Amino acid sequence: MELYRKTFKKKVDCVLGFTPPFTSKEGFLCLFEEIYPGDVQSIEKHYQFYQEKNKRRTTGKPLYFPSPAELLFDISRVKISKISEITWNADEANERKNEALEEAKLEQERKKEKYRQNNISTQEVTPQYINTLIERYWKEGEKILRLYIAQECAKYKNSKTILFFRQVLYGENDWFIKNVAFRTLQRFDEVVYLPPKGEGKRDKYNSLVDMFGCDYKDDIGKGPLDIMNEFYENNYIQTLRDFDVFISHSVSNAKIVDDLVQQLNNSGLVAFVDWKSDRADLKRSKSNQYTADVLQLRMRQSKCLFLIRTKEADSSIWVSWEIGYFTALDRKVVVLNVGDALDQGPEFIHGLPRVYFKNNELHVEEGALSIDFVSWLNQEERKSSERN
């Protein structure tokens, strides 16, 4: 608790620089939240975490954790009492407050970028296959498959996966899998603590630690060939995977891809992007003759191909190959033009329906018709089912 309080001392001192005399507990919280809203949310998360933990405790005294107002006022109380009404200057205080706001905005942007980098593979949506994997986890007797399920669920942040990882953290025996759950929740910016490792008899449960030679690592060494072998051996984690949209793009347009994935997630759609969805297994250092096979598999597991068309995409061999393969599957392809200086483009995109934004939502323009993207996708899925 003392260590946690110290993380806010510098920011509390900053806010004290423009705090009026006789400020109340609630008043100081409002001032602090105006400058550092993310920090107040963090304290509130910790407070709620301990509230829930105390509800589950059956022995011992309740664990103490103060509310945001109590914690911040406890740090600032003495200095607030020393603020003089005579020397306090409203204009100077307002100037210091504006300076603090500017610095806080820069810090917030840095935090957002750090979160984005930490969650580059994370989508905020709940695929049906993830629900199925969560159900199968507790019935799965093979530890390595439980690990693979945990790693697959770690690609999606939602209330179900957060609850699942908390259950894994306290219900799983293997220490390696516990570590995966712990670090996933950390990456999701959730309040979490790693339980004690345990000694003696508990060591027999740590077989994956012995297998990998460590307590935890992000990449356990799978590559494209491993994915294909798992699929053809009918490993249900690979065979269950399905996606609404396969995003075809140039790797130089990563920021555009991030924005599109967020847009699709907001509509409840699951996207496949090679450097997100199979980030550890398809990274360039592992690229081999089986990489194309994996991409073909992911296209077969997708309902629609969504081309982000830029100048870079127009000259990409991979993009033309993906569109050709998807067309051969007799599935729909749509094109989002990005940039004002695009020409007619390569022949392989001529005649394909276009996607555009209308009222911040995706719509498909096909001939004279225009329909929102989700309805269009569901419509095409029904047609495909009828054909099959």
Side-chain angles (χ1 to χ4, degrees), residues 92-110:
E92 290 179 1
N94 193 53
E95 188 177 332
R96 285 193 289 267
K97 181 178 179 180
N98 289 333
E99 289 174 359
L101 276 168
E102 289 302 315
E103 289 181 12
K105 284 178 183 176
L106 292 174
E107 182 194 41
Q108 191 174 19
E109 289 303 315
R110 288 193 294 268

Side-chain angles (χ1 to χ4, degrees), residues 162-187:
I162 289 171
L163 175 61
F164 167 68
F165 283 117
R166 291 202 183 281
Q167 291 172 334
V168 169
L169 195 58
Y170 294 100
E172 172 62 59
N173 287 322
D174 192 271
W175 186 252
F176 194 97
I177 302 176
K178 279 179 181 284
N179 249 298
V180 170
F182 169 69
R183 292 171 189 264
T184 299
L185 288 169
Q186 269 193 327
R187 181 164 51 80

